[in-house]
Amino acid sequence: MHHFQEKTWPEIQDYIDRNALIILPVGELEEHSLYLPVDTDARIAAYLSDQIADEIAADIPVLVMPTVWSGYTPNAIGKWPGAMRLSPRVFTDMIHGICTSIADMGFQKLFMLDCHGQHGPMLNMATKLIADEYGYYYTVATPFVLSAAEFATVRKSPRGGCSHAGEWETSLLLHISPELVKKEKFVPDDAIRHHSEFVSGDALMGGQKVVWSSFGIQSPKYGALGDPTLASAETGAAITQAVRAAAGRFLREYYFHKQIVID
């Protein structure tokens, strides 16, 4: 219903005329240990973007772009098959090209849903370039942050259980595509074991004060950085609702905000 690729060009022109908001789901293909499919990030991005579009459609004209499924992931992931590994520069150029195409059409509002932990700096750079080139202020958010407070009330794993293929992602996949989750292969071995004043050791718990790759801190046995064993479809449903609600609140703020001009 909200998918850009299903529209004709006159229909897209109508969305431009109505100042529609574009949602760009950003994922990746890479290994997710023994038990999750390699399209986990892209699958989550597509699903949550559709959920967010449904949440705001009564108030805001919205189109969801096809999911970005190829991007940057570190060489440390390459020891397991399944990863698409664009360089950071190539990925940034690709995202910038997608954004300039959308901006050239006349879409002034765009929201990137970042569902792959390595992409943040590159997506942020693309928003800076578009702002300078077009005067359009595109925006980025990650569902980790949007759902963190609510997830903290239902999570079952201790610190170290949620970064890559841990309780958070596994719960979402159990909710979205349970047939693809190999529960019999769940192992806790790769939970992150280092936490300090500077290193959170968990994507859903705050406190990270430095940039330091988790793969430099801990070399996984099976490819995860987390523990899936306490994941559940019910937790995945709670995450989904939290992301829908938070993204809905933000996108209404973003879409209807009038730039403040100081005289």
Side-chain angles (χ1 to χ4, degrees):
M1 181 178 180
H2 309 297
H3 293 157
F4 181 97
Q5 66 270 24
E6 295 175 356
K7 307 301 181 185
T8 65
W9 76 256
E11 290 172 325
I12 292 174
Q13 183 62 57
D14 179 63
Y15 276 92
I16 295 168
D17 294 342
R18 292 191 286 136
N19 192 31
L21 167 74
I22 296 289
I23 298 177
L24 178 62
V26 183
E28 168 66 316
L29 296 186
E30 64 177 7
E31 64 80 20
H32 273 72
S33 195
L34 306 173
Y35 42 84
L36 296 182
V38 297
D39 77 342
T40 289
D41 293 348
R43 185 173 293 266
I44 289 172
Y47 173 76
L48 291 179
S49 292
D50 283 344
Q51 290 288 311
I52 293 166
D54 288 343
E55 179 74 16
I56 65 173
D59 303 317
I60 299 170
V62 58
L63 284 174
V64 178
M65 296 295 293
T67 301
V68 175
W69 54 265
S70 187
Y72 168 75
T73 201
N75 287 342
I77 289 285
K79 65 186 289 187
W80 299 278
M84 301 302 296
R85 289 157 53 204
L86 305 182
S87 74
R89 181 171 297 173
V90 168
F91 177 73
T92 302
D93 286 346
M94 180 180 73
I95 293 295
H96 178 245
I98 292 171
C99 289
T100 58
S101 297
I102 293 167
D104 283 338
M105 293 177 207
F107 289 104
Q108 299 182 39
K109 298 281 187 176
L110 180 143
F111 171 71
M112 288 183 262
L113 187 68
D114 177 16
C115 296
H116 176 60
Q118 303 290 335
H119 283 161
M122 291 156 263
L123 299 179
N124 293 344
M125 181 180 293
T127 68
K128 304 300 183 187
L129 293 171
I130 294 297
D132 287 344
E133 294 161 355
Y134 292 87
Y136 297 166
Y137 291 89
Y138 290 174
T139 187
V140 183
T142 168
F144 282 110
V145 174
L146 293 175
S147 65
E150 291 81 0
F151 178 66
T153 69
V154 297
R155 76 175 287 170
K156 297 179 175 61
S157 61
R159 183 179 291 272
C162 295
S163 282
H164 174 63
E167 183 188 356
W168 190 92
E169 286 185 319
T170 304
S171 292
L172 270 175
L173 262 292
L174 285 169
H175 173 61
I176 298 168
S177 300
E179 72 282 1
L180 298 180
V181 180
K182 295 174 171 54
K183 297 177 71 173
E184 72 280 5
K185 295 187 176 181
F186 283 0
V187 288
D189 304 50
D190 285 339
I192 299 177
R193 302 175 190 182
H194 178 79
H195 322 108
S196 73
E197 174 189 357
F198 300 100
V199 176
S200 171
D202 194 291
L204 274 296
M205 290 185 176
Q208 187 79 14
K209 297 178 180 178
V210 298
V211 176
W212 186 7
S213 172
S214 296
F215 290 97
I217 295 171
Q218 180 171 317
S219 180
K221 181 177 181 181
Y222 297 111
L225 288 168
D227 181 355
T229 58
L230 297 174
S232 71
E234 292 74 20
T235 297
I239 293 168
T240 299
Q241 185 53 45
V243 172
R244 273 186 68 135
R249 292 193 304 273
F250 168 66
L251 288 176
R252 290 180 182 92
E253 174 185 342
Y254 170 63
Y255 184 82
F256 293 111
H257 178 75
K258 302 299 183 184
Q259 187 179 38
I260 299 167
V261 178
I262 307 298
D263 296 328

